[in-house]
Amino acid sequence: MTGIFIGSFDPFTVGHDAIVRRALPLFNKIVIGVGVNVRKKYLYSAEVRVKDIATLYADEPKIEVKAYSDLAVDFAKREGAQYIIKGVRSVKDFEYEREQADVNRRIGGIETLLLYAEPQYESVSSSMVRELIHFGRDVSEFLPGKLRVKS
């Protein structure tokens, strides 16, 4: 069984890593889909995000990392995935992900697996980390061990 874990991952945080590691025993394969939206401005290019995340999981044969720029359901079909994996930190996240899951099920027939963030990661978000980077703060505690901020 294959699942896709999708997001912009700009940057990929300890919370994202925790979701991937918790989902890993549930799937034969997980494809981490790095979203690319031409209307959005990113701190890191898609190539850098894919490379960094792939490096993080270099020793895990069940994980692949790929960029995508279309609908999640289309990416899932290309990858042969049966599930979309998403992390939820709050009620606000839950409401958004519930709506996305409903649409993805209706238009693509794919189910979404929601994993709730562990309490220590509830306040960690990519946007918060980008803000701290912008102001020159140390964000190492919010990034998985092998990932570090690149200027």
Side-chain angles (χ1 to χ4, degrees), residues 87-146:
V88 176
R89 295 172 296 139
S90 65
V91 172
K92 181 179 167 186
D93 282 356
F94 175 79
E95 285 299 323
Y96 175 79
E97 296 301 346
R98 184 189 57 76
E99 290 172 5
Q100 291 297 306
D102 182 48
V103 170
N104 289 333
R105 188 175 45 256
R106 291 167 115 182
I107 69 171
I110 189 163
E111 291 292 339
T112 299
L113 173 67
L114 298 179
L115 293 176
Y116 294 96
E118 295 167 275
Q120 67 268 32
Y121 302 128
E122 288 177 352
S123 64
V124 178
S125 69
S126 292
S127 57
M128 179 269 300
V129 173
R130 283 193 310 273
E131 179 88 359
L132 292 172
I133 290 169
H134 174 77
F135 287 103
R137 296 297 184 138
D138 176 18
V139 295
S140 56
E141 73 179 280
F142 304 116
L143 302 176
K146 294 181 184 178

Side-chain angles (χ1 to χ4, degrees), residues 1-147:
M1 185 166 36
T2 299
I4 60 168
F5 182 51
I6 55 170
S8 60
F9 306 127
D10 185 38
F12 193 82
T13 70
V14 290
H16 295 130
D17 181 53
I19 295 293
V20 169
R21 295 194 188 280
R22 287 174 48 211
L24 204 50
L26 305 174
F27 295 94
N28 298 323
K29 176 179 163 184
I30 293 177
V31 180
I32 299 174
V34 176
V36 178
N37 181 338
V38 296
R39 296 180 305 260
K40 190 172 178 182
K41 184 177 184 213
Y42 295 103
L43 184 60
Y44 300 111
S45 70
E47 294 78 21
V48 167
R49 289 178 281 150
V50 168
K51 181 179 171 267
D52 285 352
I53 298 167
T55 299
L56 182 63
Y57 298 108
D59 296 331
E60 181 47 69
K62 290 171 50 173
I63 295 178
E64 293 179 16
V65 185
K66 298 180 179 181
Y68 76 101
S69 59
D70 53 347
L71 291 174
V73 294
D74 295 331
F75 179 63
K77 283 182 185 177
R78 273 197 315 282
E79 296 303 319
Q82 294 79 32
Y83 292 91
I84 294 173
I85 304 161
K86 296 295 285 188
V88 176
R89 295 172 296 139
S90 65
V91 172
K92 181 179 167 186
D93 282 356
F94 175 79
E95 285 299 323
Y96 175 79
E97 296 301 346
R98 184 189 57 76
E99 290 172 5
Q100 291 297 306
D102 182 48
V103 170
N104 289 333
R105 188 175 45 256
R106 291 167 115 182
I107 69 171
I110 189 163
E111 291 292 339
T112 299
L113 173 67
L114 298 179
L115 293 176
Y116 294 96
E118 295 167 275
Q120 67 268 32
Y121 302 128
E122 288 177 352
S123 64
V124 178
S125 69
S126 292
S127 57
M128 179 269 300
V129 173
R130 283 193 310 273
E131 179 88 359
L132 292 172
I133 290 169
H134 174 77
F135 287 103
R137 296 297 184 138
D138 176 18
V139 295
S140 56
E141 73 179 280
F142 304 116
L143 302 176
K146 294 181 184 178
L147 294 184

